[in-house]
Amino acid sequence: MPGNERLEAHGLGPVPTVFASGGRGTDQVQYAVASGTAYIRLNRPRALNALTREMVEDMCAQLDLWEGDRAVDAVVLDGAGERGLCAGGDVLAVRDLIHAGDHEAALEFWVREYALDLRLATYPKPVTTIMTGYVMGGGLGISAHARHRRIAAGSILAMPETAIGFFPDVGMTYLLARAPGELGTYAALTGATFTAADALVMGLADRYHETPPDAGRAPLAAARGWIDACFAGTDAGVIVQRLAGHPDPGARSCAAVLRERSPLAVCVSLERIRRAARESDLGESLDVDARVARGMLAAGDFVEGVRAKLVDRDNAPRWRHARIEQVPRDEVEAVFG
């Protein structure tokens, strides 16, 4: 089993050859225990292990069982297949709930997901996450807060929510606000992908599985000159104007990216990361995320963004506002209300 070989190669074995479903009737997550270590394996490889409500509930229940199990001393979490740990939450299912008029059920998915993130972060037994391939959105939520975070050199990471009219949730602004300079602000607002090397620089991972020859190459860190200069402050309109007028072509390209994102989501994300810098712990940050998630659902850009990016795939979202500069401050405040 390729996943087992990966774990054993990095001293996280011997791993059982047989993983089994938990007691809640889903095979979307599978488990095993060997030599004092419990293993969680996300098991939707064809969907890049995207998180469903069933997966979230199943993992929470299993962690509860293991907490009192003296045969379990530590937990390791990885994803089935070779393409990625987890590409995020199942936003298509959330959109379907909203279309059905069940906004509370849609919000409850995020609330339960955030509870899982906090559970993994504060679990009394050490949790090690194995970040490989695509690790995005909710995939970072279940991995970047863990006690031990190992990352493969070729991993592709992102908090891409502004592209679908949402904001970087799952407690990630708590970490991004503490990244060097404005690297976290860049990642939060643009939703752009970044490398494993930059994840290490930003404090989202601890160490490589195996140190590659080019381990020191962190493209975002190398661009901190224009990133720090342009992404400072609390006005998203000023940020995009700085980027557009900057002599570095990377900055001008970044301005074009921001122009494609939901203007409201960009402004909310900037406010979110500034507030996260003042929050005392992850629990507080996740509570704020739940409030902002409710506000963003009510604002409407999320449903339109998912339609444009993942349903019709026309990449032509009709955002609530035409430009970032047109988003009123009171609308941003209302989202946090």
Side-chain angles (χ1 to χ4, degrees):
M1 183 178 292
N4 290 5
E5 294 171 2
R6 178 175 61 225
L7 294 177
E8 289 172 358
H10 302 294
L12 295 171
V15 183
T17 56
V18 177
F19 277 63
S21 301
R24 296 174 63 87
T26 180
D27 63 357
Q28 297 178 352
V29 190
Q30 296 190 325
Y31 309 97
V33 177
S35 302
T37 300
Y39 297 87
I40 302 173
R41 178 161 291 165
L42 309 184
N43 192 40
R44 297 184 71 210
R46 296 178 68 178
L48 289 174
N49 296 318
L51 295 172
T52 65
R53 174 72 180 269
E54 291 79 12
M55 295 167 75
V56 168
E57 297 286 3
D58 203 76
M59 283 187 277
C60 286
Q62 191 64 49
L63 288 167
D64 286 346
L65 290 174
W66 282 338
E67 183 172 354
D69 188 341
R70 293 185 178 181
V72 173
D73 300 317
V75 177
V76 174
L77 184 152
D78 77 343
E82 297 301 313
R83 297 173 63 202
L85 167 66
C86 176
D90 189 348
V91 294
L92 289 171
V94 176
R95 179 180 182 268
D96 288 343
L97 288 170
I98 296 169
H99 271 299
D102 198 344
H103 285 237
E104 288 304 313
L107 182 65
E108 184 63 16
F109 168 78
W110 279 310
V111 169
R112 294 302 298 153
E113 182 185 10
Y114 303 163
L116 173 62
D117 299 333
L118 187 61
R119 188 83 168 106
L120 289 166
T122 60
Y123 201 59
K125 301 177 182 184
V127 176
T128 298
T129 52
I130 310 300
M131 304 161 78
T132 60
Y134 288 99
V135 187
M136 298 181 172
L140 276 165
I142 60 171
S143 59
H145 300 300
R147 193 180 307 184
H148 305 294
R149 306 163 301 172
R150 300 191 182 186
I151 192 165
S155 297
I156 302 169
L157 304 96
M159 288 301 294
E161 285 76 11
T162 57
I164 57 168
F166 204 55
F167 74 104
D169 61 340
V170 295
M172 284 306 298
T173 53
Y174 183 78
L175 296 181
L176 293 174
R178 290 156 177 80
E182 298 294 344
L183 294 180
T185 312
Y186 166 92
L189 271 59
T190 65
T193 60
F194 52 92
T195 67
D198 277 310
L200 288 164
V201 170
M202 287 192 281
L204 309 183
D206 302 313
R207 54 176 286 194
Y208 287 112
H209 293 184
E210 295 176 346
T211 304
D214 61 348
R217 298 179 184 175
L220 284 188
R224 269 194 63 185
W226 64 260
I227 289 175
D228 287 358
C230 294
F231 279 88
T234 59
D235 190 321
V238 170
I239 288 173
V240 75
Q241 290 166 20
R242 287 191 198 124
L243 289 165
H246 199 280
D248 192 298
R252 297 195 299 273
S253 177
C254 183
V257 169
L258 286 178
R259 290 296 186 197
E260 296 174 354
R261 304 306 189 228
S262 157
L264 178 62
V266 169
C267 293
V268 167
S269 298
L270 179 60
E271 178 68 14
R272 182 70 198 93
I273 200 166
R274 297 301 183 237
R275 294 191 185 201
R278 303 189 296 270
E279 289 158 6
S280 61
D281 56 37
L282 178 61
E284 178 187 357
S285 200
L286 287 165
D287 286 344
V288 176
D289 281 356
R291 293 204 309 271
V292 177
R294 180 184 292 275
M296 290 301 285
L297 282 187
D301 272 3
F302 170 75
V303 169
E304 173 60 12
V306 175
R307 178 205 66 77
K309 296 292 182 182
L310 301 175
V311 180
D312 298 336
R313 297 180 184 271
D314 57 21
N315 290 316
R318 297 179 290 274
W319 300 126
R320 182 170 176 173
H321 303 280
R323 292 173 63 83
I324 291 170
E325 293 87 344
Q326 295 174 359
V327 178
R329 177 67 187 175
D330 60 354
E331 287 193 23
V332 174
E333 295 286 350
V335 168
F336 284 81

